[in-house]
């Protein structure tokens, strides 16, 4: 992972000019990861553990949204762009908060940058059951989830907790 990560950062840094905004830096990361390196999101084989193992994701250039978010997050952090994870039922995105503006990175859509309204529409299309999600998350002690009036929530671990609430809580937060 280390060699791949350093190479990925170097490729991104070559595309990024000194005066680039954080948004332009994110566009550069998306370009390198999805156009230059040809990474792809695996939507229909999400239960296959091959797409969760980062070594396998890197060698096959295919991963689930969470694995791709981890890679993207690490690169953004290395070039000083602060992101946070946003977990939805079976869906994961990254979010950048900057100057009272929210920008989302959709790794299932080749790193497309989306507004809050576009994310809301995307999630409605993908039939996210917000009532189920919020009910489940409310029952987990110590988990801090923000829910907004337009039905999106952000918090580390929501996706993983829904699938394996009992076994994954501590393991997931240990890696974050």
């Amino acid at each position: 992972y280390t060699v791949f990560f350093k190479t990925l950062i170097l490729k991104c840094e070559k595309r990024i000019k000194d005066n680039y905004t954080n948004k332009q830096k994110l566009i550069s990361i998306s370009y390198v990861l999805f156009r230059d390196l040809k990474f792809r999101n695996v939507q229909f084989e999400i239960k296959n553990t091959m797409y969760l193992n980062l070594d396998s994701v890197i060698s096959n250039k295919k991963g689930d949204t969470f694995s791709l978010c981890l890679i993207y997050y690490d690169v953004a952090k290395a070039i000083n762009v602060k992101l946070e994870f946003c977990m939805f039922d079976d869906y994961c995105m990254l979010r950048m908060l900057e100057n009272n503006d929210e920008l989302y990175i959709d790794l299932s859509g080749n790193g497309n940058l989306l507004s809050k309204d576009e994310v809301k529409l995307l999630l409605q299309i993908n039939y996210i059951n917000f009532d189920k999600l919020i009910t489940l998350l409310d029952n987990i002690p110590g988990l801090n989830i923000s829910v907004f009036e337009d039905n999106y929530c952000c918090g580390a671990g929501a996706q993983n907790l829904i699938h394996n609430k009992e076994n994954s809580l501590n393991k997931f937060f240990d890696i974050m």
Side-chain angles (χ1 to χ4, degrees):
Y1 182 77
T2 304
V3 173
F4 164 77
F5 182 64
K6 287 179 181 179
T7 304
L8 180 56
I9 291 170
L10 287 173
K11 286 182 182 243
C12 290
E13 287 175 338
K14 283 182 182 180
R15 289 191 56 81
I16 296 171
K17 308 228 181 321
D18 288 338
N19 62 345
Y20 268 24
T21 65
N22 283 340
K23 181 178 179 179
Q24 290 170 313
K25 291 177 183 179
L26 295 177
I27 292 168
S28 295
I29 296 171
S30 295
Y31 186 91
V32 169
L33 196 60
F34 294 101
R35 289 216 172 157
D36 286 352
L37 298 177
K38 309 254 187 272
F39 272 76
R40 294 292 171 251
N41 175 262
V42 180
Q43 296 179 4
F44 302 108
E45 297 180 52
I46 198 163
K47 303 292 185 211
N48 187 336
T49 57
M50 177 176 89
Y51 302 120
L52 299 171
N53 177 302
L54 285 181
D55 289 330
S56 178
V57 170
I58 291 165
S59 64
N60 293 309
K61 298 185 177 185
K62 293 179 185 176
D64 70 349
T65 55
F66 186 73
S67 298
L68 295 174
C69 279
L70 286 173
I71 293 168
Y72 199 105
Y73 178 89
D74 281 348
V75 174
K77 184 177 178 181
I79 59 173
N80 297 315
V81 178
K82 186 179 180 195
L83 300 176
E84 61 185 32
F85 285 81
C86 290
M87 309 295 191
F88 308 96
D89 207 1
D90 281 327
Y91 212 73
C92 177
M93 285 187 180
L94 294 169
R95 177 173 74 165
M96 180 181 72
L97 296 174
E98 189 172 73
N99 302 326
N100 295 325
D101 196 23
E102 295 179 50
L103 191 62
Y104 293 82
I105 302 101
D106 178 17
L107 282 294
S108 70
N110 295 332
N112 288 328
L113 305 181
L114 305 174
S115 70
K116 184 176 170 181
D117 289 337
E118 290 168 324
V119 169
K120 182 179 176 185
L121 180 61
L122 179 68
L123 294 175
Q124 288 172 345
I125 291 169
N126 286 316
Y127 308 108
I128 301 300
N129 185 338
F130 286 100
D131 293 332
K132 174 184 166 190
L133 174 64
I134 301 309
T135 301
L136 176 65
L137 295 176
D138 281 343
N139 292 319
I140 300 171
L143 184 64
N144 185 13
I145 300 293
S146 300
V147 181
F148 302 90
E149 64 186 35
D150 55 357
N151 284 332
Y152 80 93
C153 71
C154 294
Q159 179 187 34
N160 197 23
L161 292 171
I162 286 171
H163 295 294
N164 195 359
K165 183 173 132 183
E166 295 80 21
N167 298 324
S168 64
L169 183 61
N170 293 330
K171 291 177 190 172
F172 185 81
F173 288 108
D174 285 345
I175 65 168
M176 295 307 288

